[in-house]
């Protein structure tokens, strides 16, 4: 009976392997037949959406959060702005513009210091990058927002790579690129002078590097994951949630990758420690800027707000 059971089990395993091989062969044929068509569609959609982003990038309102982005890029603090403009006298436009563009009196270190002393809950990598970007291309609305369009290109590339790591299918990657290219949510945030588009790219990139590291499981691949962790944490602190998800997945697998994952995560997290100390030092500022998150609001009001904001995504995306 035991021998019969083993034979049946072996037969079942062989049958499953044969079926899996048949499915994989058909998927490869489907992939080869349809990949050029999806490649062409993805190329057209990417070019069209990029052109639309660049053409309409300065037609939308430059709202208050973006104005704070420009303030940080200028290197001035909110305190300096209030002190120098609250004189009771009329202020010329040129005087205000000083706080909305890069200038020779301030540098990248002033941008980091301004952010760390007043808004330490925001990490500096995006603001430093845009400061350097504006030094080359100017501080106009078009120039400041165009960095997010560049980040959107990275989002598309990382989407394709992540799909390759997940499925091994180029066709899946091209379909995903088409979806992301026309997503109103992605379209909107890739036109905004805030770090969200860059964070999207960092999230996708870190996840793709993680999957590659789990597959190869070499010290070199985990070293690159550590670098990706460090960069993503300096783009947005909520990247810690993405890293936590990677950790839970690694823990569920319960294999030899756990040790290397922990070492890579610790190594990648160490560079953010000085900024965490900055946050603790200026905790009062963090509490001031995040006080709205502690407001108790009725659930019905939240539902209305969510629906309203979702509608705004489509409204502002297609507002030419």
């Amino acid at each position: 009976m035991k021998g019969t059971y083993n034979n049946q089990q072996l037969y079942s395993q062989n049958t499953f392997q044969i079926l899996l091989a048949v499915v994989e062969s058909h998927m490869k044929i489907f992939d080869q037949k349809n990949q050029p068509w999806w490649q062409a569609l993805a190329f057209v959609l990417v070019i069209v959406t990029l052109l639309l982003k660049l053409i309409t990038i300065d037609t939308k309102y430059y709202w208050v959060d973006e104005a704070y982005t420009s303030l940080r890029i200028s290197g001035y603090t909110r305190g300096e702005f209030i002190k120098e403009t609250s004189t009771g006298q009329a202020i010329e436009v040129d005087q205000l513009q000083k706080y909305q563009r890069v200038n020779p009196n301030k540098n990248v270190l002033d941008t980091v210091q301004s952010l760390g002393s007043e808004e330490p809950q925001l990490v500096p990598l995006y603001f430093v990058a845009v400061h350097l970007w504006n030094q080359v291309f100017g501080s106009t609305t078009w120039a400041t927002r165009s960095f997010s369009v560049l980040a959107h290109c990275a989002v598309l590339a990382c989407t394709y790579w992540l799909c390759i790591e997940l499925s091994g299918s180029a066709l899946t990657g091209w379909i995903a690129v088409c979806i992301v290219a026309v997503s109103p949510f992605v379209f909107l945030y890739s036109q905004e002078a805030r770090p969200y588009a860059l964070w999207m790219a960092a999230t996708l990139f870190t996840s793709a590097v993680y999957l590659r590291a789990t597959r190869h499981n070499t010290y070199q691949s985990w070293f690159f994951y550590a670098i990706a962790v460090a960069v993503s944490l300096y783009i947005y602190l909520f990247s810690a949630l993405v890293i936590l998800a990677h950790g839970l997945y690694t823990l569920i697998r319960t294999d030899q990758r756990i040790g290397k994952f922990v070492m890579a995560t610790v190594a990648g997290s160490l560079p953010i420690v000085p900024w965490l100390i900055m946050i603790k030092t200026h905790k009062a500022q963090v509490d001031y800027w995040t006080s709205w998150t502690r407001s108790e609001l009725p659930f019905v009001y939240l539902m209305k707000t969510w629906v309203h904001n979702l509608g705004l995504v489509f409204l502002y995306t297609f507002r030419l």
Side-chain angles (χ1 to χ4, degrees), residues 53-127:
K53 287 181 178 71
L54 293 174
I55 292 172
T56 65
I57 199 170
D58 56 356
T59 62
K60 299 178 176 67
Y61 298 114
Y62 201 75
W63 71 299
V64 61
D65 280 11
E66 292 180 295
Y68 271 109
T69 295
S70 293
L71 177 65
R72 301 307 170 196
I73 293 169
S74 73
Y76 286 97
T77 63
R78 181 171 177 266
E80 289 175 320
F81 171 75
I82 293 174
K83 181 180 178 181
E84 295 181 21
T85 57
S86 301
T87 60
Q89 300 177 351
I91 302 173
E92 299 293 335
V93 174
D94 289 342
Q95 290 178 275
L96 291 177
Q97 286 297 320
K98 182 177 74 169
Y99 304 100
Q100 293 287 289
R101 60 191 177 201
V102 293
N103 59 80
N105 299 323
K106 301 286 185 176
N107 54 35
V108 170
L109 294 179
D110 292 307
T111 292
V112 175
Q113 185 177 359
S114 168
L115 200 65
S117 61
E118 290 191 336
E119 290 189 272
Q121 77 278 4
L122 299 176
V123 280
L125 188 55
Y126 165 79
F127 298 91

Side-chain angles (χ1 to χ4, degrees), residues 199 232-233 236-243:
W199 185 35
S232 62
L233 286 173
Y236 213 80
L237 284 176
F238 280 175
S239 296
L241 298 176
V242 179
I243 299 164

Side-chain angles (χ1 to χ4, degrees), residues 300-314:
V300 174
Y301 175 82
L302 290 175
M303 287 291 294
K304 290 180 180 179
T305 304
W306 295 335
V307 173
H308 173 73
N309 289 340
L310 182 61
L312 287 179
V313 169
F314 291 90

